[in-house]
């Protein structure tokens, strides 16, 4: 029996369709600063989530190695409701985590955790500025 794992990527450019598809399924995005488990914000409206995904600018992410000494700024956790099973009502579905995006201080890098894999990307500066705004004390 042979198993293949798709977690290793050998190119700096990636196909973004799978990520866009997973992100677009999100029904909630929670924002958690580093060194705490306290949620500082939740995005639950469809238009908020769509805007967030659009700003991620996924098609311009480049696979990179996370530089040593980076400091975590915070995490965005994407959740969606379970699929309705036979005999269940829509109200009985619970949210479960689909993926996480970890952001770092002072560098335009993120780590995507999805389906048991972790991949680090350099993201556009405009994307990083947008993500950073969620963690700035107002």
């Amino acid at each position: 029996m042979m198993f293949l794992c798709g977690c290793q990527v050998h190119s700096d450019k990636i196909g973004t369709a799978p990520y866009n598809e997973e992100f677009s399924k999100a029904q909630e995005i929670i924002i958690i600063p580093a060194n705490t488990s306290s949620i500082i914000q939740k995005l639950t409206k469809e238009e908020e989530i769509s805007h967030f995904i659009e700003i991620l600018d996924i098609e311009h992410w480049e696979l990179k190695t996370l530089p040593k000494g980076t400091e975590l700024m915070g995490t965005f956790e994407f959740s969606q409701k379970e699929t309705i099973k036979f005999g269940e009502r829509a109200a009985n579905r619970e949210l479960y985590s689909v993926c996480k995006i970890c952001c770092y201080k002072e560098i335009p890098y993120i780590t995507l955790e999805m389906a048991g894999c972790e991949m680090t990307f350099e993201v556009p500066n405009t994307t990083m500025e947008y993500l950073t705004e969620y963690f700035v004390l107002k």
Side-chain angles (χ1 to χ4, degrees):
M1 186 177 276
M2 183 167 57
F3 293 98
L4 300 175
C5 181
C7 294
Q8 293 285 335
V9 180
H10 299 289
S11 169
D12 285 353
K13 294 290 182 186
I14 59 163
T16 59
Y19 305 108
N20 277 326
E21 184 178 325
E22 284 302 313
F23 291 144
S24 66
K25 293 179 185 177
Q27 294 168 311
E28 178 182 81
I29 300 172
I30 58 172
I31 297 107
I32 306 169
N35 303 320
T36 183
S37 59
S38 299
I39 297 168
I40 58 170
Q41 189 172 356
K42 280 186 188 181
L43 305 178
T44 56
K45 295 180 181 164
E46 188 175 335
E47 57 274 0
E48 288 177 317
I49 294 170
S50 294
H51 177 70
F52 184 92
I53 294 166
E54 182 181 318
I55 297 296
L56 288 177
D57 196 13
I58 298 165
E59 55 275 356
H60 291 103
W61 291 8
E62 289 189 39
L63 191 62
K64 298 285 183 176
T65 301
L66 188 63
K68 293 196 183 297
T70 55
E71 188 177 345
L72 183 67
M73 180 174 16
T75 304
F76 297 89
E77 186 171 331
F78 292 68
S79 298
Q80 70 183 48
K81 289 189 177 181
E82 295 178 344
T83 303
I84 298 175
K85 296 176 184 79
F86 182 73
E88 287 185 333
R89 293 188 209 186
N92 295 341
R93 299 182 306 158
E94 293 186 24
L95 287 171
Y96 68 96
S97 180
V98 177
C99 65
K100 292 181 185 179
I101 294 178
C102 300
C103 298
Y104 302 95
K105 293 182 179 179
E106 301 178 10
I107 61 169
Y109 280 64
I110 60 101
T111 298
L112 174 65
E113 299 174 11
M114 181 184 293
C117 295
E118 287 187 13
M119 294 171 281
T120 299
F121 299 94
E122 183 175 11
V123 298
N125 286 327
T126 53
T127 299
M128 199 65 218
E129 289 167 8
Y130 176 78
L131 297 175
T132 300
E133 288 177 12
Y134 283 98
F135 301 105
V136 176
L137 296 176
K138 295 179 179 161

